[in-house]
Structures are given as structure tokens and as C-alpha cells.
Amino acid sequence: MIEYSNGIHIKDTLFWLDARKKSEFSFISHAHIDHVARHREILATEETRALYEHRLGKIKAITLGYNVPKKVKGVKVELFPSGHILGSAQILLDIFGTKIVYTGDFKLRKSLTARRGEVKKCDILIMESTFGLPRYVFPPVEEIYHKITDFVEKGLNQKKVPVILAYSLGKAQEAIKLLGDKGFKLSLHGAIYSLAKIYEEFGVKFKNYEPYEHGNLKDKVLISPPWSRRHKMVDELPHKKIAFLSGWGMDNGAKYSYNVDEVFPLSDHADFKELLEYAKESNPEKIYVVHGFKEFVEHLKKLGFDAEELKKGTKFDKGFSKEILLNYDLFR
Ligand SMILES: [Zn+2]
């Protein structure tokens, strides 16, 4: 029923889920580059389609809103929020009465720029587990916001340029929303600026920002992608204080590994507690784990779940009869 090879394939249907190689038809959970490929046709939210096209060009797409069940390519599906970035969605597929949920990247905590993640009951759960170790339990998000704001304020008071390193899609927009709304003047790296414009097209409102301009950073906060740490734009700034926003900030010595002054664990992903909470709430018969630590599977087993890592060669069949398959109009 489920096959894994460069993405997840729901057997006997046209559905690929976040296929990593070109396919005829794939659901795209969100527009991060490790979840997209140039497919012939995609299923996604309007927001994900727009972000995808911004990055990869025009695409034939079936778009769906959140929580609107619909038959697509002969399969009953429903997209619902995953709380990860703008437009990110989970998918619920109903295959002959068996409910399969694929989470894509998700979180259940609040976000400033994405709809809050939801949980649905299902029979088979395919879930991400990026932070699937007990040491990855993030502090309350308000506490992290406070620390980031404090860092920026102190930097400005010391006549330094606060630099916030954040992934250009998703995390950077969280930083813009947090800091711009508090009245800080923001200078944005070009990639972050153009993605923020797409967020605005979909109703997210940002304040106090402009595109980066060389030599014009007085009293401003620079928001820039992590790779720019080594670029002269950041590296050659004379007076600066650099913070990186990442869940990996929970690791000891993270600020030394990333060569920054602070790493604040602001993440777009579920932490260990949320991953377990998700599994309990959706209460599936079978859990497949993708993108993460193998050890997370053992944690799920201890809680009594039938869990397995989804990797190349994994095949799972519920044994539907040929007759049902033939009578089911899958390819309409
Ligand atoms: Zn992602």
C-alpha cells in the first residue's frame, strides 16, 4: 500500500507524497527545497503553489484549501494545516476506508505566520521526526521571542548591528513578524524580502522592513540566510552581534559550531514532546517515521505503537483484493 523510493508512493494510485524525483503527480506538503521536485503535476495549497513557482517556475497544479475533503485522481483526500510555514499542509487519504495521514514537516506550537498545526485520527500515520530525541524539548515560544527581542535591543543599544540568521523561507518571516511588529527597523536580504512579499499576498502583514542596501544599516536589524554568515555582507560588517534561529540551538556549544554569538531554538518543527503528543492523539495502528533519528522509532514502540522507519525498500500492504482495486475508480 505504501512504497518508499525517493519519496512516498501510495500503491495502486497516482499519488506520490513529496516525491524527490520528477513524477507524474505528487502532493507537495510545503515549498522547502528538500520537499519539491519538478513534477508534471502537483497537489498543494495555493500558498505552496505560489512559493513553489517562485522557486522553480510555472507548474500544473490542483490546489485545495485546508479542511475541504475532495476526490482527486479518484482518491478522497483532505489537506489540513501542519503549522510549519505559510501554506504547509498535511494530507489525509482515504484508501478503501483506510485513513492514511502524511504529516510532512509539522509543529503544533503557535506560529506568527502559519496556521496552527492540527491532528487527525488515522489508521496509518507517516510522520516526520526531525527532533525525535528526548533532549530536544524546546522552551516555551514566548520565552524564545523574549530572548530574541532582548538580543536585538541590547545590540542596538551598544551601537552594533544585530544580525538574525534565519532560513529564507519560513523562519525569516517569523523573525520579520516578531521584530517588525515590535517597531524595530528591518533590513532584509533579497531572497527573504521577495518571499515576504508572497506572504503578504496571502494576507500576512509585515511592518518596518525594506530590502538590504549596502552601507545602510544604522539602527537597523539585518535578517539574512544562514549561509550569509560567511559572505562579506555579514562577515565584513564591522560592529555586529549575530544570532542564528534554529532548533539545533538545543545542542551544547551550538553557537561555537555555527560561529555566532547566540543560537535561539526557534524552530518550525515539532519537538520530541509534540511528536509523541501527535502519535497519541492520532492513535494509528501503524506509524512510519521519516526524516529523523532512528531512535525515535524505539520511543514509539515503548509507548505501544507499531512503528517502523520508512526507508528505501519498505513495502506495506493491507492486502486488498484485486476485485476492490478494479472496481475502485482510482485513475479518474
Ligand atoms: Zn520544511
Side-chain angles (χ1 to χ4, degrees):
M1 190 175 207
I2 293 166
E3 297 171 308
Y4 191 76
S5 169
N6 281 319
I8 300 151
H9 181 229
I10 308 296
K11 226 170 111 183
D12 301 312
T13 78
L14 288 177
F15 272 81
W16 280 87
L17 312 176
D18 282 341
R20 302 291 299 274
K21 59 174 187 197
K22 188 182 173 85
S23 72
E24 280 300 311
F25 181 68
S26 181
F27 164 64
I28 306 267
S29 64
H30 66 289
H32 277 151
I33 221 73
D34 55 336
H35 289 258
V36 302
R38 288 174 201 278
H39 305 295
R40 221 174 282 287
E41 189 178 12
I42 63 167
L43 167 67
T45 60
E46 275 293 349
E47 293 90 334
T48 296
R49 192 248 289 255
L51 292 163
Y52 177 105
E53 291 193 335
H54 174 74
R55 297 194 138 184
L56 291 177
K58 280 264 166 239
I59 182 82
K60 187 176 173 202
I62 298 170
T63 57
L64 279 183
Y66 291 133
N67 299 311
V68 185
K70 201 166 177 184
K71 214 162 191 186
V72 174
K73 307 282 181 194
V75 179
K76 218 166 92 190
V77 300
E78 185 176 338
L79 306 190
F80 58 107
S82 73
H84 181 57
I85 61 169
L86 178 79
S88 65
Q90 311 179 60
I91 187 168
L92 168 70
L93 301 110
D94 187 326
I95 309 278
F96 316 122
T98 298
K99 289 187 164 50
I100 303 175
V101 163
Y102 167 62
T103 64
D105 292 348
F106 78 93
K107 73 169 182 295
L108 301 177
R109 303 181 307 285
K110 86 163 190 184
S111 160
L112 302 173
T113 59
R115 273 269 292 273
R116 194 162 192 149
E118 295 174 10
V119 182
K120 286 196 193 290
K121 296 243 179 290
C122 60
D123 303 302
I124 300 171
L125 173 65
I126 308 166
M127 72 188 301
E128 70 124 328
S129 66
T130 306
F131 289 108
L133 291 180
R135 71 166 179 270
Y136 296 112
V137 174
F138 303 136
V141 70
E142 295 296 340
E143 193 181 299
I144 303 172
Y145 291 158
H146 183 75
K147 284 192 172 161
I148 298 170
T149 311
D150 204 46
F151 170 87
V152 165
E153 226 158 46
K154 279 192 181 134
L156 290 171
N157 287 340
Q158 294 165 4
K159 301 286 172 218
K160 290 181 173 163
V161 179
V163 180
I164 303 292
L165 301 179
Y167 293 114
S168 49
L169 173 56
K171 197 77 65 69
Q173 287 71 32
E174 288 284 300
I176 301 169
K177 186 74 187 148
L178 173 71
L179 297 170
D181 282 10
K182 288 200 186 298
F184 295 108
K185 286 186 225 148
L186 311 176
S187 172
L188 310 182
H189 180 277
I192 291 172
Y193 179 83
S194 53
L195 288 163
K197 287 288 174 199
I198 299 177
Y199 270 61
E200 288 195 321
E201 281 168 28
F202 288 97
V204 180
K205 292 195 169 56
F206 295 124
K207 291 180 191 161
N208 300 315
Y209 71 97
E210 57 186 31
Y212 166 78
E213 205 184 304
H214 182 72
N216 184 16
L217 286 173
K218 194 175 174 320
D219 299 324
K220 285 179 189 153
V221 183
L222 174 61
I223 302 182
S224 194
W227 59 261
S228 69
R229 172 66 192 88
R230 288 200 187 90
H231 189 271
K232 60 181 181 184
M233 173 182 173
V234 170
D235 202 42
E236 290 178 7
L237 266 179
H239 305 288
K240 57 183 177 272
K241 278 279 189 189
I242 308 176
F244 177 34
L245 308 184
S246 168
W248 302 114
M250 297 302 291
D251 287 338
N252 284 335
K255 64 181 183 181
Y256 304 107
S257 335
Y258 297 110
N259 189 22
V260 295
D261 297 296
E262 293 290 348
V263 185
F264 297 116
L266 187 71
S267 178
D268 293 330
H269 289 270
D271 70 1
F272 182 70
K273 256 166 70 182
E274 284 164 81
L275 289 169
L276 295 182
E277 185 187 325
Y278 194 113
K280 284 180 199 159
E281 259 188 61
S282 65
N283 196 27
E285 275 171 40
K286 175 90 194 177
I287 301 179
Y288 287 106
V289 171
V290 283
H291 306 304
F293 297 100
K294 281 195 200 89
E295 292 90 330
F296 183 62
V297 170
E298 300 310 315
H299 286 287
L300 289 172
K301 283 183 178 166
K302 266 187 232 152
L303 289 175
F305 288 108
D306 177 358
E308 190 181 322
E309 189 191 2
L310 191 58
K311 53 186 181 213
K312 201 168 165 42
T314 302
K315 282 196 174 160
F316 178 75
D317 234 309
K318 269 205 132 193
F320 297 120
S321 74
K322 275 221 169 69
E323 201 182 344
I324 298 175
L325 285 170
L326 288 171
N327 288 331
Y328 203 79
D329 186 12
L330 286 168
F331 298 102
R332 201 167 49 173

